Amino acid sequence: MSKILIVEDEEAIADLEKDYLELSGFEVEIENRGDTGLDKALNEDYDLLILDLMLPEVDGFEICRQVREKKNMPIIMVSAKKDDIDKIRGLGLGADDYITKPFSPSEMVARVKAHLARYDRLIGSGQKTNDVIEIRGIKIDKTARRVWVNGEEKQFTTKEFDLLTFLAENPNHVFTKEELFREIWDMESIGDIATVTVHIKKIREKIEFNTAKPQYIETIWGVGYRFKA
Ligand code: CA
């Protein structure tokens, strides 16, 4: 449910806005002063802000400016005077919409819905989903670099994570220790390939139910390892 903050010093107007918005299924809070309104808008989570222009203590211009700097949510500014609206537009404070009092509550609700939908689209399209690999109870979130085994999160060192991810991304492919060493440690395979063995052992301790009978990373004797899909 979307949560809306109304900063408005005229109680009758604030209540009217709240009633209509609640009827449309929104959760609504009211602040009657500019300073408390600003504080709430900055420090609590709202999906949209309805902001009166003339307010005690801190006016709507200042609230709009400060909220815009820190928060990404639609701001609808409300004013009694058409002149004020022109002034706000001119200042380029970044409000998303302007409504002149008196206004029709149903029109206000329609605008609120339109702005929320627009922000959802913007944020939705800008949000990248994490790159996740899931194989038989193992979930690897490559973006967050986190691993879960049967729903339980396990901690991996950087190289353990890289090695596990590389194997899981290439299931049923047998890699020699040399190949894995080159792939993960990123140098010519002059180094100690026993490092690979050590890392495989540590990974198995975290993902395998029984390390003597690995279900995920199998040893192919005389060749190397493979991740069984
Ligand atoms: Ca006012």
Side-chain angles (χ1 to χ4, degrees), residues 8-10 52-55 101:
E8 169 65 70
D9 59 331
E10 287 172 70
D52 182 32
L53 190 57
M54 299 314 289
L55 292 161
K101 293 178 199 170

Side-chain angles (χ1 to χ4, degrees), residues 106-126:
S106 51
E107 196 202 327
M108 182 209 57
V109 170
R111 292 207 200 179
V112 163
K113 286 180 178 170
H115 286 289
L116 286 171
R118 190 172 60 85
Y119 263 62
D120 272 355
R121 280 200 305 277
L122 286 176
I123 291 167
S125 61

Side-chain angles (χ1 to χ4, degrees), residues 33-92:
R33 286 167 36 163
D35 52 348
T36 54
L38 175 61
D39 185 56
K40 274 208 158 184
L42 289 180
N43 298 308
E44 290 181 31
D45 277 335
Y46 297 99
D47 299 293
L48 184 139
L49 177 60
I50 297 178
L51 190 55
D52 182 32
L53 190 57
M54 299 314 289
L55 292 161
E57 307 303 327
V58 179
D59 68 21
F61 291 111
E62 183 59 19
I63 295 174
C64 184
R65 194 184 62 75
Q66 289 200 34
V67 171
R68 198 29 96 230
E69 270 179 20
K70 299 203 177 73
K71 295 267 180 159
N72 188 25
M73 65 172 154
I75 301 174
I76 299 178
M77 296 202 75
V78 179
S79 172
K81 283 186 277 182
K82 175 76 173 63
D83 291 354
D84 289 337
I85 300 290
D86 293 339
K87 194 174 158 196
I88 307 168
R89 282 186 203 274
L91 285 172

Side-chain angles (χ1 to χ4, degrees), residues 174-198:
V174 182
F175 293 97
T176 64
K177 288 176 190 173
E178 287 82 0
E179 283 171 330
L180 292 172
F181 188 81
R182 270 201 304 274
E183 185 65 39
I184 306 304
W185 278 265
D186 197 26
M187 20 178 158
E188 284 307 304
S189 185
I190 311 161
D192 189 0
I193 59 162
T195 307
V196 176
T197 317
V198 172

